[in-house]
Each structure stands twice: as structure tokens, then as C-alpha cells.
């Protein structure tokens, strides 16, 4: 720690350190034995996203999904398995009434954009 | 060697310097041993068995058996001895090869004995200035010698004992392994300066540590061989129990375990015909619910995260009773979704996708009428035909009508927009010149409907629900459906061309015109070759539908209606193309799913239709299924009402109410008497399954300017924080700005979401003016300002009683009564506010607030507090429970005005 940091009157005691929180989160998720690697990865990405973006209310979820798709789009389209998890998770959110069809579609349009046109045909 | 001399543990490793290495090897060799054991047993079994077992007297047999066992014993032992010897030799060599290098290096430095002193003479680094001892005497180094003086240090008061805790920014439910219930606990008694076992005789639970027999490899092998060869009889078990130790039953269990293991080993070798799609990492054979299982188990719907530490995993999954309306695509262009979009094929395919999920079907009469019309109207004006193809000869391909009808449920706006989409849609469909060209050249009648999109807009504005047909031909469908709100029965007529202000008076064959500005309805007689070909092609390329694909499809229909583009994109991308989805839809491979809510009245409307009938048949099944699930889910909750006698208290009941833990109910529609929430005396929340109009729901506030900081706000009055999803004006945004933020709703100035938003003060930790550590305020605050949350582990009352016993003995407790089910314990995990001390004349108060369905403890300023003052609040112990230091001075009256939440068991000392 530099001297000015020490004297800066800044106190981070009560703050959640993102790096540590991510680490903890990953560790907790790793404890699950019957969850696939990709599921865990998606869960971790989501948890991290929700924490950093302070997604607190149900009403934030549609925004969060779109922002998540933009933020992690590249990664999501790269891995079929991860993409699959994300799709299932969106369905899950829809089941809970947290995500509407319109937003789900927008998310997938965003992801299609990452993938390049037409290539999502099998 | 006699039997008795054989130790129960057959083979122990010799303790040698190389044992570590051997241990590592051991694993592999054991595995190998197992393999030979199994195979040998398998080889031996038939011969021995047939020779000895049948027909012989059991006594002889047992004699043989005992002999055989002892033989086996020796055999194994001999093997083991050989193996161990070999290992020792092998490892000895290895060790030597390493050791000789070291020895060599050591001898180079003049022998082992002197190596230490040479190192001191020639250290790797030297510290200058402080060394006063050895280094000086040896005369090595050139550092200053600090003259030692006797310094009298001023007396400093002892600091409070160190304390360590894990910081929690929010409450956590206690992890299972943190429970002290049923455990023996040891604590240090300061008065006696000794370590004691905390015991209270009545509840001392004898821990039945079963003296379990650990089986060595050799024993396993004997058991295995014996059972394989002689069968699993009692005698065999008895003899084995003499040899191996353990009861006969244990041995039998062990054998079963071994069998299982060998079975598993076997299975491992055989390659699994796993149905896993390795390309995609997706298992297509599982059902959707099985695939969603991990999400269902781990996702916390309340906190919106996975593996929530507050609500835990495997919560009861409750889905809202009210589904969202279908999505009607209206803000991007209705263009073919891909190269494989069904729109490309539309012009040459029969189309029944018109029949929307919301049970819109054409009437038979109308379609036959349509047929006539078509026959009669090659010169006719624009028609918009929508004919159920099952009826026969004609199929209508480009059909704006179906889409309109699909979207009727969404209400007006979507309705209009959709139409526009359809126009564009159809135009795009025509952009494929081949299809159209073919059709035209084949001389199929082509109907043209000219609509400029601007006109279309106008039209949409003026025609609300119903588009009446003006002409006598009156083709189209009248579709009825009931949308979510049920009261809106939407009548959507087909757009009759004649209603349009800008209709083209006559059919034009020109392809260009069509492409530029027209909407074309292409009609193909169904039996004609091309359409059949198209279909068969579609079928051939659509491979088999896996269960999960079917389920995803159905889910897609639930979400998007029968729109194959959307379903393919959102549900089945990478699995099925739009065309395949569309084909599947038409081939009736899918039972048409209906939402449970869909009113049957809307279905019966057009009952003349063949499709209709089939739908009707399927519909009740589906609803029944859903109902069944609903019942099952309800059953899960029965424990709750059983466990808690119903004490019905209203929310604003009074001061010393005990808070009730909220558990979301899974009631269908409205909550009745059997609703667990109602029964428990809690309000239904947004997390409940019941409908939004449930009478037991807390409806939030409509406060506009009051900032919800007074009892005028119903949320505040009920001891709740406002909920951005429920309260009308209490919106908060999210996002750190790097990714934009969601659209605002309301003009939230709400001052009653401070726990939720963590709008807390900076708390400092320092030595208390009173006792031990204390919490201090960094900046001054006003009365009723929120200072911070008292966080901790959520533990049950039973657990709290157990922990409390130790805490009380140590005179340091951080327990806080939260509600009827939980106590907060900040002893191990918490935040700095746990150090705020007790005072009967405090400057703060603690208040339990309901935040998003959870009770949380906020610490608020009772008066204005200046910067760097120490914080105190009244722990509010019951008169008999309080430790001596927390007893009230005689005659003092308790001030109940703001603290409504009963006693806190917390106390703290030092």
C-alpha cells in the first residue's frame, strides 16, 4: 500500500471486494457435484453480473438479460454448452414471470449478432 | 500358522523411511490387485462351486472352506510380503540416487559436521543494524551497535481481546455443518482458567459413533473369494466373521458393496452409449424439467442469484399463477429469420400456422366459401384468404390474417403493429423471386393486395379490433380469443381488401409491382405437386424430434405463440431450423398447448373445424396435467400449516408483535383459507404463486412526495421497506452505468429502501468508552437516519438456545431475535455494528424491517448523533433474561415508541 492510500481516509472494510466475491462464488458453486461445468460457469457469470450491476428488483431482470447478452455474448456464442445453459436459464426466468418473450427475443437477436448472420442454423 | 494368530488387520505397511513413496504406489497396485482378484474369482468360481458345493455335506464343506480360506490367507500374505519387499528395494534405490547427490555436495564443503558453521560464516544475506548477538561476537559485518538502555514505557491500558469475525454484507443462513446442536462443545472458562466441556445433562446426546470395521484389501479379497466360491450362506458368513472380524451381517453388507463396485468397474469399462450430444454439450434425451433441474435447485428466485446463501438451495420452486401475455414481435422487421426461414417456403406450402395458439380457427363454412371465391375470383379484387387447408383443395399461403389473429391477445397496440409486420413480412416473402416466379408461371391464381405501409398504419389506427368486410364475398376468419385479461375478447377480422383506402382495383401479374409495394396472397391448390414436394423435403430434413426439442417447442409456443421464427430463434437455435419448426407445427406433431388459464369458451367458438376438434381433445389433458402439478406443489407446503398453529395477526397489529417468517405460497389464483401465508399471518408477496389480485397481497404504497419516511406510507407503517416492483413510485435503477440502465419507472425519491440499497453510514471500530470494543459513527447523522444493518447468521431458535449457553458463560453474545423462526447470530459472521454496545439510554434503535420478503435488522439513529460518537442501543432483554450489566436502573421506563420488534437476546460484554 502506498502512503497516500493509507492516509487517504478511505475505508474499504465494509465493501465487498469483487475479486474475492467472485472467488468465493466460484468456490461455492464448485461444491456442487451434479452440476455440469458449463452450468457452473454460467451461474458464476450471472452471479457476478448481478452483484456488480446491483440487480435488485424483478423489474431489473429484463434489462439484466439484455445487458448480460451484450456483455458475455462473445463467450456465449463460442460455447454451445454455455449458450444452451443461458437459453435454459432464460426459460427459467420466463417461468418465473421475470422475463418476457420480447426481451428473450431481443437477447437472442443480440446473440445472433455476435454469431454472425445465419450461422445459427444447425 | 494357526487361524488365531492371524491378526484381524491382515496387512499393515511396514513403517519405513520410504513408506510415503510406497503409500503412493499402493494405490495403483491395489487397484491391480482388485482386478486380479475379481478375475480370479470369476475363473475359479464355476469349477469350485460345482465340485464342492452341491451334494456334499455342509460340515465337510465348511472344513474345506476353512482350509481354503486359510490358504488364501497365506497366499495373500505371501504376495503382500513380496510386494512390500520389492517396493522397499525399489524405493531404496531411488532414495539413494537422490541422497548421494546431497551427500556429495555436503562432503565437498568439508563434511556434514561443519556445514552449519560454514553457512553462518558465509550467510546468504546480512542484516545490518540490529544484530547485537552472535554476529558481533564473530566479528562479521560492519554494523553499528545500539547501546542498550533501560527505557521506561508509559503504562497503556490493555486493549480489548482480539476478535475475529467474517464480514457479512447480508444475512446468511447457517450452513449445516455450523450447527452446535448435538455436539460436544468445549470452551475456556476464564474464571477458573481451564477448559471445560459445556454440557447440560438433559440434552447431552450420546454420539453413537459406530465402531465400524475397516476392511483392508486383503480382507476384501477373502470375502469376495469366499462368497463367490461358496455362496452367500450363513455358515460362510460366520466363518468369515471369525477370520475377518465384524459381524456376519457386516460381512454380508461388505460383500454387497464389493459386488456393486465390481459392477461399476465393469460398467466403466464398457463404453457408455451416452446420449450426449458432444458437439454441443447438450443432452437431448433428458426432459426439459430434468435439464432445468440444476437451475431449479440452485437459482434463488428471491435474490436472483444462484446458490443464494440466505435462502439456500433446493427451495420450493413456485411459479406465478399468471403467465405473461404472448410476445408479439413488433419492434424489429418482419423479415425471414434465416436462410431456413419458413417464410421462404411459405409461398409453396400449406399453411395452417395461421391457427394461433390462442385457438383461432377458421370456420368451415367460411373456408368453403373461400374456395368458391377463389374459383370465382380470378378476376376479383384483392382477397385475403384464410382457409384451413385440411378442408381440401386450397391452401392460402401468405396470410397476414393468421398473424393478426395470433397476436390478438396482446391487445391493441401489438395488434396494429403486427399487421404492419405482416405486410412487410409478406413483401419479404415475395422477395424470393424463384418461388413466386414459379408459382406465377405455373398459373396459379395470384391475388394481390396492395397496401402501402403508411396506409397500413392508418388502417391500424382506425380499425381497432375488428375489420369488417365490406364485400359480399366476405372471406376471412373471425377469430375469437380471450387474452390474459379475459375480458378482452378480440374480434379480428381478416383485412378485407376492400376496407383499405388504397386498394389496387385489379390483379396485376407483374412481379415487380408485387415486390415493390404489394402484399400478395398466393394460393396453391393443395394437392398440387410443389407443395407436397416442399413438405416432404421439409420432413426429410427435419430429423427426428428429441423429447427435449419437443418440450422446448411447446414452451416456445407458450411464450411466443405459434410463430416458428421466434420459436426457432429463441428455443431451438442450433437444433432446428425455422422451417423444421414450422413443419412440425403443421404436421400436428405437437399437441397444441394451451395455457391453463385459457378460457375454454374461446375454444368452443369455432367448433366446426377439424383442427379445432383435435385441439379441444388435447386441451383438457394439458390442463389436467397442469392442475395435477399444481396440487403436488401445494402438498409440499402442508408441513408448514401443520407445523405452526395459526395465530392470525394482522400486520399493523401493534408493537410487540413477533414477526412471522414469510414463506411464499404456491396457491393457484386467489388465496383461500388454506393459503399458508394467510394461515401464518403473513402477507402474500410478489414471490407467491397466487395472482396479483390476491386479497392477501401487500399492495405497496402510492406515495408521491413523502419519500415514504413516515407512517403515512403504508409500507413504512407496516415495518416494511418499499419494493420497487410493487410500490408505484418507488423505483430504483440498477447497473453501474457501463452497460446502460433500465428504463425508469416512476420518479423514485423513496427514502424507505435504505436496507435494500445499502445506504448506510460509515461505522468505525474502536475501543469502547464503556466496555470492550465499540462502534462509532464517522459522520454526523440526523434523527431516524439509517446507520447500517446488523447482519449475521440466521439460525433456528433451537440452535440459538444451544449457542446462547456458551455465549452466556463467556458473557459475550451476539444473538438477535429476528422472527418466529430465526435468530441472528453475529458471533462468527456479521459486521461492525455488532460491536455497538447496550445502553438503557441509547442514541440508536434497532428495528426489524421486512425487505423483499426477508426480515432484516436495521440500526437507526434515535436522535441526532455527532461525528465520532459511540453508538448504543437498547438490547431490550426481558427483565429476567438480562445480564447484570444490562439491567435497568430502578424505576426507569422503557421507551417503546419506535422499537416495535420485541426483545433482542443479544448482549455483549467487555
Amino acid at each position: 500500500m502506498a502512503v497516500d492510500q493509507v492516509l487517504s481516509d478511505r475505508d474499504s472494510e465494509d465493501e465487498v471486494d469483487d475479486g474475492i466475491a467472485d472467488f468465493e462464488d466460484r468456490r461455492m458453486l464448485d461444491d456442487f457435484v451434479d452440476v455440469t461445468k458449463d452450468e457452473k460457469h454460467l451461474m458464476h457469470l450471472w452471479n457476478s453480473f448481478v452483484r456488480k450491476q446491483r440487480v435488485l428488483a424483478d423489474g431489473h431482470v429484463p434489462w439484466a438479460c439484455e445487458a448480460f447478452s451484450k456483455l458475455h455474448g462473445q463467450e456465449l456464442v463460442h460455447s454451445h454448452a454455455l449458450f444452451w445453459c443461458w437459453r435454459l436459464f432464460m426459460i427459467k426466468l420466463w417461468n418465473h414471470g421475470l422475463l418476457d418473450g420480447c426481451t428473450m427475443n431481443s437477447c437472442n437477436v443480440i446473440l445472433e449478432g455476435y454469431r454472425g448472420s445465419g450461422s445459427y442454423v444447425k | 500358522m494357526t487361524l488365531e494368530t492371524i491378526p484381524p488387520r491382515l496387512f499393515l505397511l511396514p513403517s519405513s523411511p520410504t513408506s510415503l513413496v510406497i503409500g503412493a504406489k499402493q494405490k495403483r497396485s491395489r487397484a491391480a490387485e482388485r482386478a486380479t482378484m475379481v478375475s480370479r474369482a470369476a475363473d475359479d468360481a464355476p469349477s469350485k462351486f460345482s465340485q464342492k458345493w452341491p451334494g456334499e455335506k455342509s460340515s465337510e464343506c465348511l472344513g474345506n472352506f476353512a482350509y481354503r480360506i486359510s490358504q488364501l490367507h497365506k497366499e495373500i500374505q505371501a504376495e503382500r510380503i513380496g510386494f512390500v519387499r520389492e517396493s522397499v528395494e525399489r524405493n531404496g534405490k531411488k532414495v539413494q540416487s537422490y541422497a548421494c547427490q546431497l551427500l556429495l555436495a555436503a562432503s565437498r564443503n568439508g563434511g556434514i559436521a561443519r556445514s552449519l558453521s560454514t553457512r553462518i560464516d558465509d550467510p546468504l544475506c546480512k542484516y545490518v543494524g540490529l544484530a547485537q548477538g552472535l554476529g558481533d561476537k564473530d566479528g562479521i559485518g560492519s554494523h553499528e551497535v545500539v547501546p542498550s538502555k533501560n527505557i521506561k514505557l508509559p503504562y497503556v491500558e490493555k486493549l480489548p481481546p482480539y476478535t475475529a469475525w467474517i464480514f457479512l454484507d447480508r444475512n446468511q443462513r447457517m450452513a449445516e455443518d455450523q450447527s452446535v446442536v448435538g455436539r460436544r462443545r468445549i470452551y475456556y472458562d476464564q474464571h477458573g482458567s481451564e477448559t471445560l466441556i459445556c454440557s447440560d445433562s438433559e440434552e447431552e446426546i450420546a454420539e453413537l459413533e459406530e465402531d465400524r470395521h475397516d476392511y483392508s484389501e486383503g480382507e476384501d479379497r477373502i470375502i469376495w473369494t469366499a462368497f463367490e466360491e461358496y455362496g452367500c450362506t450363513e455358515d460362510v458368513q460366520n466363518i468369515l466373521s471369525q477370520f475377518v472380524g465384524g459381524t456376519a451381517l457386516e460381512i454380508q453388507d461388505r460383500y454387497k458393496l464389493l459386488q456393486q463396485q465390481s459392477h461399476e468397474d465393469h460398467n466403466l469399462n464398457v463404453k457408455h452409449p451416452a446420449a450426449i450430444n458432444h458437439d454441443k454439450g447438450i443432452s437431448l434425451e433428458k426432459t426439459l424439467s430434468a435439464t432445468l433441474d440444476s437451475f431449479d435447485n440452485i437459482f434463488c428466485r428471491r435474490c436472483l442469484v444462484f446458490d443464494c446463501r440466505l435462502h439456500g438451495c433446493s427451495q420450493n420452486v413456485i411459479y406465478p399463477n399468471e403467465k405473461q401475455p404472448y410476445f408479439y414481435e413488433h419492434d424489429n422487421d418482419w423479415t425471414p429469420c434465416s436462410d431456413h426461414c419458413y417464410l421462404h417456403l411459405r409461398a409453396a406450402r400449406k399453411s395452417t400456422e395461421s391457427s394461433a395458439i390462442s385457438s383461432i380457427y377458421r370456420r368451415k363454412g367460411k373456408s368453403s366459401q373461400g374456395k368458391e371465391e377463389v374459383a370465382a375470383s380470378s378476376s376479383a379484387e384483392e382477397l385475403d384468404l384464410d382457409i384451413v387447408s385440411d378442408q381440401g383443395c386450397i391452401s392460402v399461403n401468405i396470410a397476414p390474417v393468421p398473424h393478426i389473429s395470433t397476436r390478438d391477445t396482446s391487445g391493441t397496440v401489438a395488434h396494429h403493429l403486427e399487421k404492419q409486420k405482416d405486410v412487410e413480412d409478406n413483401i419479404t416473402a415475395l422477395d424470393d423471386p424463384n418461388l413466386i416466379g414459379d408459382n406465377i408461371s405455373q398459373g396459379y391464381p395470384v391475388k394481390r393486395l396492395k397496401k402501402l405501409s403508411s396506409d397500413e398504419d392508418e388502417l391500424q389506427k382506425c380499425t381497432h379490433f375488428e375489420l369488417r368486410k365490406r364485400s359480399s364475398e366476405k372471406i376471412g376468419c373471425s377469430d375469437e380469443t380471450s387474452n390474459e385479461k379475459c375480458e378482452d375478447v378480440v374480434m379480428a377480422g381478416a383485412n378485407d381488401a376492400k376496407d383499405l383506402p388504397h386498394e389496387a382495383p385489379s390483379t396485376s401479374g407483374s412481379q415487380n409491382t408485387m415486390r415493390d409495394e404489394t402484399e400478395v396472397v398466393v394460393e396453391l391448390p393443395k394437392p398440387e405437386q410443389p407443395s407436397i414436394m416442399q413438405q416432404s423435403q421439409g420432413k426429410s430434413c427435419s430429423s427426428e424430434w428429441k423429447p427435449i426439442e419437443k418440450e422446448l417447442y411447446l414452451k416456445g409456443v407458450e411464450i411466443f405463440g405459434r410463430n416458428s421464427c421466434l420459436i426457432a430463434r429463441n428455443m431451438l437455435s442450433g437444433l432446428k431450423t425455422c422451417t423444421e419448426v414450422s413443419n412440425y407445427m403443421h404436421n400436428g406433431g405437437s399437441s397444441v398447448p394451451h395455457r391453463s388459464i385459457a378460457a375454454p369458451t374461446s375454444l368452443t367458438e369455432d367448433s366446426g373445424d377439424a383442427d379445432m376438434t383435435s385441439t379441444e381433445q388435447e386441451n383438457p389433458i394439458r390442463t389436467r396435467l397442469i392442475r395435477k402439478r399444481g396440487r403436488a406443489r401445494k402438498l409440499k407446503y402442508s408441513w408448514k400449516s401443520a407445523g405452526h398453529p395459526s395465530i392470525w395477526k394482522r400486520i399493523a397489529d401493534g408493537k410487540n408483535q413477533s414477526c412471522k417468517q414469510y414463506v411464499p405460497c404456491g396457491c393457484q389464483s386467489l388465496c383461500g383459507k388454506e393459503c399458508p401465508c394467510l394461515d401464518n399471518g403473513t402477507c402474500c408477496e410478489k414471490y407467491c404463486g397466487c395472482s396479483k389480485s390476491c386479497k392477501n397481497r401487500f399492495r405497496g404504497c402510492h406515495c408521491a412526495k413523502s419519500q415514504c419516511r413516515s407512517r403515512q406510507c403504508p409500507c413504512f407503517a407496516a415495518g416494511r421497506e418499499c419494493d420497487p416492483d410493487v410500490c408505484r413510485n418507488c423505483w430504483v435503477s440498477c447497473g453501474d452505468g457501463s452497460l446502460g440502465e433500465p428504463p425508469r419507472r416512476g420518479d423514485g425519491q423513496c427514502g424507505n429502501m435504505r436496507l435494500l440499497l445499502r445506504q448506510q453510514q460509515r461505522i468505525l471500530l474502536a475501543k469502547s468508552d464503556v466496555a470492550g470494543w465499540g462502534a462509532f459513527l464517522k459522520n454526523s447523522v440526523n434523527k431516524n437516519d439509517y446507520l447500517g444493518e446488523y447482519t449475521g447468521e440466521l439460525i433456528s431458535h433451537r440452535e440459538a438456545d444451544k449457542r446462547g449457553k456458551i455465549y452466556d458463560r463467556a458473557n459475550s453474545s451476539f444473538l438477535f431475535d429476528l422472527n418466529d423462526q430465526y435468530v441472528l447470530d453475529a458471533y462468527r459472521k456479521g459486521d461492525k455494528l455488532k460491536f455497538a454496545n447496550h445502553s438503557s439510554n441509547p442514541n440508536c434503535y434497532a428495528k426489524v424491517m421486512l425487505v423483499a420478503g426477508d426480515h432484516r435488522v436495521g440500526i437507526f439513529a434515535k436522535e441526532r448523533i455527532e461525528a465520532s460518537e459511540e453508538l448504543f442501543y437498547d438490547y431490550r432483554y426481558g427483565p429476567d433474561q438480562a445480564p447484570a450489566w444490562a439491567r435497568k436502573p430502578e424505576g426507569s421506563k422503557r421507551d417503546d415508541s419506535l422499537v416495535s420488534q420485541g426483545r433482542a437476546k443479544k448482549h455483549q460484554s467487555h
Side-chain angles (χ1 to χ4, degrees), chain B residues 66-77:
Chain B
Y67 175 69
R68 166 97 179 102
I69 291 287
S70 63
Q71 244 189 346
L72 194 65
H73 223 198
K74 285 177 196 161
E75 199 178 297
I76 292 171
Q77 214 159 25

Side-chain angles (χ1 to χ4, degrees), chain B residues 326 356-359 553-558 562 590-596 598 615 618-619 622:
Chain B
Y326 299 122
I357 164 70
S358 41
S359 60
Y553 165 76
L554 290 176
K555 181 54 86 179
V557 171
E558 229 183 299
R562 289 168 64 100
S590 56
S591 58
V592 179
H594 286 275
R595 299 181 180 185
S596 52
T615 330
E618 278 153 324
N619 188 42
R622 174 79 180 166

Side-chain angles (χ1 to χ4, degrees), chain B residues 26-42:
Chain B
Q26 215 55 47
K27 278 193 177 161
R28 246 178 291 144
S29 64
R30 280 187 179 186
E33 220 175 56
R34 271 195 58 77
T36 55
M37 172 183 102
V38 173
S39 64
R40 186 184 307 162

Side-chain angles (χ1 to χ4, degrees), chain B residues 370-385 445-450 471-475 496-498 503-509 521 523:
Chain B
K371 264 186 275 171
E372 290 160 23
E373 281 304 329
V374 171
S377 66
S378 46
S379 72
E381 307 190 353
E382 299 77 30
L383 288 179
D384 198 69
L385 288 184
V446 174
K447 305 284 169 194
R448 190 171 60 101
L449 179 62
K450 182 177 179 182
S471 69
S472 57
E473 53 210 49
K474 193 175 189 276
I475 309 287
D496 193 318
K498 289 191 169 179
E503 61 193 40
S506 63
T507 311
S508 148
V521 178
E523 294 155 5

Side-chain angles (χ1 to χ4, degrees), chain A residues 53 58 87 92 95 105 108, chain B residues 296 301 569-570 573 725:
Chain A
Q53 303 294 327
D58 293 359
R87 186 192 306 165
K92 163 94 180 149
N95 285 341
N105 187 53
N108 280 304
Chain B
D296 281 341
R301 185 256 171 273
R569 175 191 292 145
N570 293 300
S573 80
D725 292 317

Side-chain angles (χ1 to χ4, degrees), chain A residues 2 12-14 16 23 26-27 30 36 38-39 57 62-63 80 99 104 116:
Chain A
S12 59
E13 267 180 311
D14 286 341
V16 178
F23 175 79
R26 221 179 269 271
R27 199 177 53 81
D30 273 343
T36 67
D38 299 295
E39 282 170 335
W63 172 83
H80 276 293
L99 181 64
M104 191 189 287

Side-chain angles (χ1 to χ4, degrees), chain B residues 623-679:
Chain B
T623 8
R624 226 180 289 138
L625 259 177
I626 286 172
R627 274 200 211 115
K628 209 169 150 197
R629 255 191 276 135
R631 267 203 299 272
R633 238 181 262 145
K634 257 192 221 162
L635 281 178
K636 271 192 179 167
Y637 287 93
S638 58
W639 60 268
K640 189 157 192 313
S641 43
H644 296 271
S646 62
I647 304 160
W648 169 232
K649 277 190 180 176
R650 276 183 295 136
I651 359 148
D653 217 356
K655 301 202 164 150
N656 277 326
Q657 60 175 334
S658 164
C659 298
K660 295 280 191 174
Q661 171 77 16
Y662 160 73
V663 178
C665 72
C667 298
Q668 299 288 308
S669 69
L670 301 174
C671 290
K673 277 181 180 159
E674 71 285 2
C675 168
C677 292
L678 204 60
D679 192 29

